[in-house]
């Protein structure tokens, strides 16, 4: 019986072989394709503005929808055909906050948990420090949990 990390037997080892001759085929440059193979800076800027506008519109609709919490508001808008799932895909950061604010929240959460872990280590408590650390992390991540619920509602 061979161990999973041992090398395969010599008969099953893979080999690499290089051809002694090669061929090159050059395609003619298509001017239309060359001009249209990538988006221009103006196209990308327009896409960004359109996404931001859609995000602001949807955020406004969510704020004005009847249920009080965000999750139920999104479900209400989807159920009544006011917005579609396709409109929600990719614009979560416009509705829920910017990417930099999300990263800031994550860094803040990680720092809080690490500070709590350090303080528990210094205190050397008799109680279960893992449970206390979990409680601290849970309290710190309430906002992230709410955002995740909104994203889940948008995907449902």
């Amino acid at each position: 019986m061979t161990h999973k990390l041992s090398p395969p037997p010599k008969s099953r080892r893979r080999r690499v072989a290089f051809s002694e001759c090669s061929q090159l085929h050059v395609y003619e440059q298509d001017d239309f394709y060359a001009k249209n193979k990538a988006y221009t800076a103006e196209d990308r800027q327009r896409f960004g503005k359109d996404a931001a506008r859609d995000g602001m519109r949807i955020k406004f609709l969510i704020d004005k929808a009847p249920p009080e919490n965000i999750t139920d508001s999104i479900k209400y808008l989807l159920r009544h055909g006011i917005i579609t799932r396709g409109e929600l895909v990719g614009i979560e950061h416009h509705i829920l906050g910017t990417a930099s604010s999300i990263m800031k929240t994550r860094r803040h959460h990680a720092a809080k948990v690490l500070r709590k872990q350090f303080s528990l280590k210094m205190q050397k408590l008799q109680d279960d420090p893992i449970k206390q650390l979990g409680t601290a992390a849970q309290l710190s991540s309430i906002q992230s949990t709410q955002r995740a619920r909104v994203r889940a509602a948008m995907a449902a």
Side-chain angles (χ1 to χ4, degrees), residues 25-36:
H25 181 80
V26 180
Y27 292 92
E28 291 182 29
Q29 181 70 25
D30 182 2
D31 291 334
F32 178 77
Y33 174 75
K35 287 180 186 177
N36 298 305

Side-chain angles (χ1 to χ4, degrees), residues 2-142:
T2 60
H3 192 269
K4 287 184 179 180
L5 298 177
S6 63
K10 288 186 180 185
S11 62
R12 289 184 15 202
R13 286 190 184 161
R14 294 189 176 142
R15 297 173 190 228
V16 176
F18 294 94
S19 175
E20 292 183 19
C21 63
S22 62
Q23 294 179 342
L24 171 67
H25 181 80
V26 180
Y27 292 92
E28 291 182 29
Q29 181 70 25
D30 182 2
D31 291 334
F32 178 77
Y33 174 75
K35 287 180 186 177
N36 298 305
K37 66 182 175 183
Y39 293 116
T40 65
E42 293 82 23
D43 290 337
R44 290 189 300 274
Q45 190 175 30
R46 189 182 74 240
F47 296 152
K49 284 180 181 179
D50 290 347
R53 190 178 316 110
D54 285 345
M56 297 308 287
R57 179 183 66 83
I58 292 171
K59 186 173 184 173
F60 175 80
L61 289 170
I62 291 170
D63 290 341
K64 299 301 177 192
E68 290 298 316
N69 65 36
I70 294 173
T71 305
D72 291 338
S73 296
I74 291 172
K75 287 180 180 178
Y76 175 86
L77 293 170
L78 288 169
R79 198 173 24 247
H80 289 85
I82 298 169
I83 58 174
T84 64
R85 278 201 184 107
E87 290 177 297
L88 296 174
V89 175
I91 61 169
E92 300 93 0
H93 62 282
H94 291 295
I95 296 169
L96 302 173
T98 63
S100 62
S101 69
I102 292 170
M103 289 304 296
K104 184 178 177 182
T105 303
R106 288 179 183 165
R107 282 192 299 273
H108 180 70
H109 170 72
K112 252 184 167 173
V113 172
L114 289 172
R115 277 194 305 275
K116 183 66 174 181
Q117 184 180 26
F118 181 75
S119 72
L120 290 172
K121 185 178 178 182
M122 291 292 122
Q123 292 174 4
K124 295 184 181 176
L125 297 174
Q126 297 297 331
D127 295 336
D128 187 9
I130 293 174
K131 187 174 182 180
Q132 290 182 357
L133 184 61
T135 302
Q138 183 180 17
L139 291 173
S140 174
S141 67
I142 287 173

